[in-house]
Amino acid sequence: MASPSDSPVRASLFATCIIDQLYPEVGESAVRVLRRLGAELDFPEAQTCCGQPAFNSGFWSEAKPLARRFLETFSGGNRYIVIPSGSCASMVRVFYQELFHDELALLGKAQALAPRVYEFSEFVVDVLGATERVAQAAKAPGRSKATYHEACHLRRELGAKTQARKLLKALPGVELVEMEQSEVCCGFGGTFAVKYADISGAMLQDKVKYIKATGADTVVACDSSCLMHIGGGLDKQGVNVRPLHLAQVLDQAMG
Amino acid sequence: MEPKTKQFNQGAALAIRDEKAQKSLLGLYHGFHAARLRAADATPNWEELRDHARAIKAHTVEHLDYYLAQVEANVAKAGGKVFFAADAAEANKYVVDLAKARGVKVVIKSKSMVSEEMGLNHQFEAAGIEPVETDLGEYVIQLAEETPYHIVAPAIHKSRQDVSELFHRKLGSAPTDKITDLGREARRQLRQKFIQADMGITGANFVVAETGTVVIVTNEGNGRMCTSMPRIHVAITGMEKLVPSMKDLGTFLRLLIRSATGQRITSYVTAVTGPRRSNDEDGPEEFHLVIVDNGRSRLLANPELRESLYCIRCGACLNACPVYRKVGGHAYGWVYPGPIGAIVSPVLTGLGDAKDLPYASSLCGACREACPVRINIPRMLLVLRRELTEGTAYPGQRRVALAERMAMRGYRMAFQGRMFLGLATATGRVVQRPLVRKGRIRRMPPPLSGWTRYRTFPALPKHSFRSRWKRGL
Ligand code: SF4
């Protein structure tokens, strides 16, 4: 664990393709928050996508070149790898070992890299040990009522069930109101949302209903993909709740 | 049972629009699912219990040949007979021939998913023998001429009004909205059958290898009557239901019951070893155990899918699954619905026709989280998807559509070469222009129209994160 007096914790940021392409502001928030908490960041230029969309759809041979590219880009050195997405972090930390289960050299690389990989909220709480410091830095005025959606891979693949809530509760300006079924999938699931749109849509309707019922003005999650889905549903139904990544909430609070 | 796995989408659409079905499916979350969580919470060492059970199952399945032989020997020692059926047809023939040879006219049945696989009731009917389901849920399903909706609660989709109407129509009983009246009517009907029947058929929740004991777990007690009243008791089970010893049985009973209904113990746990002995006052004269393969060898042979045989059919993964809770039990088109059904059905009935089953999942992992034996269902869904797109393990599988293939290739190429991605994004920014209103895209052409039916989409921003980083953050 690092405190401000230690030498800075060094980490490489993997921005994820969805943040890079669609939600650059989330990446910016993550950078500001992590730096304010004393992390020294770099951004390996060669990064693209972790390969999860192909892997999840059964196209392992299309996923492999992307996973190999990731391993090549991030394998050198001993920096932490921070990923502001539970899902992409799961792909790298957990599923690369499935993808390469029968390719020993790459499997070894994936195994060696896995312990360095942290999702954003895990990194802030478990590596930086910064919950207290977040609370102290969170001086921004204004009150917001937020509800938290527990993203599936963050909870069930990474087992990170407490970190994000801990941080939200540390913010004096944020009142956390739990929604019903916060641990239930919002229905995104990548191509599932398009191929089985009606099933996915029915799951989303429930999520929107439960969010609405809390009276919150903000819905927070640690995955921009879930937020794209939930936010898209809120917008479609004209529900006035802001979808925000945890990094954005921390950034605003500490601003 | 004839698989209808091909019609997944039609079945799903029906269920999603069916308000009554949606209500009972939501009830599973607040009912069985919540009860399981409470029961697990109240059980010391719950997580260790799960690990232990998984280890026992792994061991048993790895040494299945040994334990199957042990069961056969011990059932024989107790005076019973084991028949190994390679498929449904063999199992049906054995059971129906036996009934015919013994002059059986009425058969009473306790819940048996394997007999559903076999379509046994139809075979009996074709032979002029009357099969009567005595599990209340199964009885309702049989009267309604449907298939089970849920592994543990087969008629969960039926309200008491539905059942009242059904009884009125089929049995002529007076309409009622009292569950006790319905229960009484069913009991009145079934009593006759219990007395008439010469054969009782049960499933087996577990078969204990060291003793040759068949164990069934019920809440109604009719299952026990099926094992004790008729002259002949036939237990039918899948070959994966073995546990080595009585000690192991304790572990599994604790897990099964808590995971299925949240109870600590069911009203009845019945253990049967062979037929009546010479000094027993009653019990069946004959005992047969039919152990069915029916495609399970294919699961056993595949190391990536083998753990599906650890399943104890508790139904917890169904209750936990947000997709099952939308599409219901009939959409899956075969005996086993829900997450475990999405693994087992395709391999047992043919992957080609069942290609929707592995794909109709958001891979949220709720099933694995719920499963008492920690079966990694999402991992196996991924394996089946891989088989459907690029595998060769299963004959007759249909390949995923060319358009999807091309899309995936395009995606891979875009993200493999940075330059190509830049080009694609630049093109995207131009192409999206006519679609964007206030930063959102509200309508997209097929196949992406599936997205915009329920959500809007964010427009591509002017600058990527990468370019913002480069300019300095
Ligand atoms: S897969 Fe696991 S949770 Fe599902 S029915 Fe089988 S044992 Fe129960």
Side-chain angles (χ1 to χ4, degrees):
Chain A
M1 298 242 172
S3 73
S5 56
D6 287 338
S7 60
V9 176
R10 276 190 246 280
S12 296
L13 179 69
F14 176 65
T16 80
C17 60
I18 187 165
I19 288 177
D20 181 33
Q21 297 294 310
L22 288 171
Y23 297 101
E25 65 279 9
V26 174
E28 290 178 335
S29 284
V31 169
R32 276 194 293 270
V33 170
L34 294 174
R35 281 187 179 152
R36 232 172 282 154
L37 295 172
E40 187 263 297
L41 291 179
D42 73 2
F43 179 82
E45 277 282 326
Q47 63 177 277
T48 58
C49 171
C50 65
Q52 180 164 211
F55 176 71
N56 279 0
S57 305
F59 295 89
W60 291 25
S61 58
E62 305 286 3
K64 279 178 182 177
L66 298 177
R68 260 201 311 270
R69 184 188 176 103
F70 184 101
L71 290 175
E72 277 157 23
T73 308
F74 287 91
S75 271
N78 56 1
R79 300 173 76 97
Y80 289 104
I81 300 162
V82 191
I83 306 181
S85 153
S87 194
C88 308
S90 303
M91 181 66 193
V92 175
R93 197 157 97 191
V94 179
F95 291 115
Y96 277 5
Q97 293 171 53
E98 305 282 359
L99 181 63
F100 293 122
H101 67 113
D102 55 357
E103 295 180 44
L104 282 187
L106 288 160
L107 178 63
K109 270 195 177 174
Q111 282 168 340
L113 182 127
R116 290 162 49 208
V117 175
Y118 285 85
E119 177 278 331
F120 175 79
S121 68
E122 288 181 316
F123 187 73
V124 172
V125 173
D126 302 339
V127 178
L128 297 177
T131 313
E132 272 298 300
R133 274 183 289 144
V134 167
Q136 282 159 12
K139 295 214 176 60
R143 278 203 72 76
S144 128
K145 204 167 160 187
T147 190
Y148 177 64
H149 166 69
E150 207 172 338
C152 298
H153 284 170
L154 180 65
R155 173 189 169 94
R156 303 193 185 88
E157 299 300 338
L158 302 181
K161 298 184 187 181
T162 57
Q163 290 87 336
R165 281 194 175 91
K166 221 182 251 173
L167 290 168
L168 286 171
K169 283 182 188 155
L171 302 177
V174 171
E175 182 196 347
L176 179 64
V177 273
E178 291 291 345
M179 69 174 99
E180 239 190 273
Q181 302 197 7
S182 66
E183 86 294 359
V184 174
C185 180
C186 71
F188 177 56
T191 53
F192 170 75
V194 174
K195 274 175 81 174
Y196 299 92
D198 293 337
I199 303 172
S200 164
M203 291 161 72
L204 177 61
Q205 311 284 51
D206 280 0
K207 189 53 77 179
V208 168
K209 184 174 79 191
Y210 294 134
I211 292 171
K212 232 166 110 177
T214 62
D217 51 58
T218 308
V219 54
V220 185
C222 294
D223 277 81
S224 290
S225 50
C226 310
L227 286 166
M228 173 174 80
H229 188 240
I230 295 172
L234 290 166
D235 185 48
K236 181 94 185 176
Q237 295 184 36
V239 179
N240 197 11
V241 177
R242 277 182 316 166
L244 287 184
H245 192 285
L246 178 69
Q248 293 172 291
V249 177
L250 297 187
D251 184 26
Q252 285 172 15
M254 293 160 72
Chain B
M1 177 183 163
E2 198 57 43
K4 297 201 183 83
T5 47
K6 229 177 176 167
Q7 295 156 27
F8 175 82
N9 285 309
Q10 291 95 306
L14 276 180
I16 289 172
R17 282 196 300 268
D18 179 346
E19 269 176 43
K20 252 182 6 195
Q22 289 304 314
K23 221 174 126 205
S24 13
L25 289 165
L26 178 63
L28 287 173
Y29 179 83
H30 295 295
F32 284 163
H33 179 70
R36 175 180 59 80
L37 293 175
R38 281 194 302 271
D41 235 16
T43 308
N45 307 328
W46 177 254
E47 299 305 323
E48 289 79 2
L49 213 55
R50 292 171 76 188
D51 292 335
H52 185 51
R54 184 178 168 88
I56 297 170
K57 275 290 177 188
H59 166 86
T60 316
V61 167
E62 289 305 321
H63 304 281
L64 204 54
D65 49 347
Y66 171 82
Y67 287 110
L68 284 169
Q70 203 183 0
V71 166
E72 187 180 27
N74 286 329
V75 168
K77 220 184 277 170
K81 186 168 185 299
V82 172
F83 177 72
F84 291 104
D87 54 23
E90 271 190 35
N92 280 326
K93 185 168 172 352
Y94 181 82
V95 179
V96 175
D97 283 355
L98 178 69
K100 283 203 267 192
R102 302 292 191 271
V104 173
K105 293 275 172 299
V106 176
V107 175
I108 49 173
K109 286 184 70 202
S110 160
K111 207 162 152 311
S112 157
M113 298 301 281
V114 179
S115 76
E116 298 279 351
E117 270 182 52
M118 293 155 52
L120 178 59
N121 287 359
H122 291 304
Q123 300 301 318
F124 273 137
E125 281 158 7
I129 297 166
E130 184 189 357
V132 183
E133 297 288 350
T134 69
D135 173 275
L136 225 46
E138 289 285 349
Y139 181 62
V140 168
I141 292 299
Q142 189 183 23
L143 282 181
E145 295 170 47
E146 288 185 17
T147 52
Y149 206 74
H150 187 282
I151 301 180
V152 171
I156 192 76
H157 59 307
K158 298 246 178 258
S159 67
R160 73 181 78 172
Q161 286 77 19
D162 294 340
V163 176
S164 166
E165 268 166 45
L166 181 71
F167 280 14
H168 179 62
R169 195 153 45 82
K170 292 275 176 145
L171 309 171
S173 63
T176 171
D177 60 359
K178 282 214 205 90
I179 288 190
T180 43
D181 287 351
L182 295 169
R184 200 168 297 133
E185 176 60 20
R187 171 186 296 215
R188 205 173 63 81
Q189 298 283 345
L190 289 175
R191 267 293 136 90
Q192 295 307 314
K193 303 297 175 188
F194 279 121
I195 292 165
Q196 292 164 7
D198 282 317
M199 180 182 275
I201 290 187
T202 67
N205 289 99
F206 303 101
V207 179
V208 182
E210 69 172 359
T211 54
T213 303
V214 165
V215 180
I216 63 171
V217 176
T218 77
N219 271 317
E220 292 162 1
N222 287 349
R224 182 172 294 177
M225 306 253 273
C226 294
T227 68
S228 54
M229 279 189 69
R231 286 190 280 133
I232 308 160
H233 173 203
V234 179
I236 305 176
T237 189
M239 67 182 193
E240 77 283 11
K241 284 300 177 66
L242 272 50
V243 296
S245 71
M246 279 290 171
K247 207 170 115 247
D248 300 328
L249 179 64
T251 302
F252 282 104
L253 285 177
R254 281 204 278 173
L255 280 172
L256 170 68
I257 296 168
R258 284 165 170 84
S259 300
T261 61
Q263 294 167 283
R264 279 189 299 179
I265 188 81
T266 43
S267 310
Y268 296 86
V269 174
T270 303
V272 177
T273 311
R276 149 198 332 194
R277 256 137 287 182
S278 52
N279 56 347
D280 286 346
E281 280 186 15
D282 46 27
E285 294 154 18
E286 281 183 55
F287 172 79
H288 301 256
L289 174 61
V290 180
I291 300 179
V292 181
D293 182 328
N294 205 28
R296 287 165 175 75
S297 294
R298 287 198 290 279
L299 292 169
L300 184 64
N302 187 333
E304 288 187 294
L305 301 177
R306 193 172 294 156
E307 63 174 304
S308 59
L309 294 174
Y310 303 174
C311 175
I312 57 174
R313 306 276 187 261
C314 70
C317 58
L318 280 62
N319 307 329
C321 176
V323 172
Y324 173 83
R325 291 203 309 267
K326 286 297 165 202
V327 306
H330 287 158
Y332 292 86
W334 203 53
V335 184
Y336 306 105
I340 190 64
I343 308 294
V344 167
S345 300
V347 179
L348 265 50
T349 68
L351 185 57
D353 279 350
K355 72 181 162 71
D356 283 314
L357 268 49
Y359 275 106
S361 160
S362 64
L363 300 174
C364 77
C367 47
R368 184 176 65 162
E369 192 177 41
C371 177
V373 271
R374 301 193 195 283
I375 298 176
N376 195 342
I377 294 173
R379 168 74 167 87
M380 290 189 284
L381 293 173
L382 286 167
V383 167
L384 289 178
R385 290 178 183 192
R386 189 194 67 209
E387 288 306 321
L388 277 161
T389 58
E390 48 195 40
T392 50
Y394 300 97
Q397 68 195 28
R398 229 166 282 161
R399 296 304 179 94
V400 160
L402 185 68
E404 195 176 336
R405 217 163 257 287
M406 297 312 288
M408 276 301 158
R409 171 137 317 163
Y411 146 82
R412 192 259 295 158
M413 284 163 64
F415 284 98
Q416 201 179 5
R418 286 276 323 117
M419 258 181 50
F420 199 56
L421 179 61
L423 198 69
T425 318
T427 316
R429 285 197 187 103
V430 176
V431 171
Q432 73 175 3
R433 255 183 229 152
L435 300 171
V436 178
R437 300 268 177 288
K438 291 191 190 143
R440 308 290 302 181
I441 298 170
R442 299 188 182 276
R443 205 162 281 152
M444 289 195 281
L448 297 175
S449 52
W451 179 275
T452 40
R453 207 177 308 150
Y454 298 100
R455 328 100 175 139
T456 61
F457 195 79
L460 282 166
K462 275 211 189 67
H463 303 287
S464 64
F465 174 79
R466 180 185 311 275
S467 61
R468 295 191 196 187
W469 175 278
K470 253 196 226 149
R471 272 189 283 143
L473 271 179

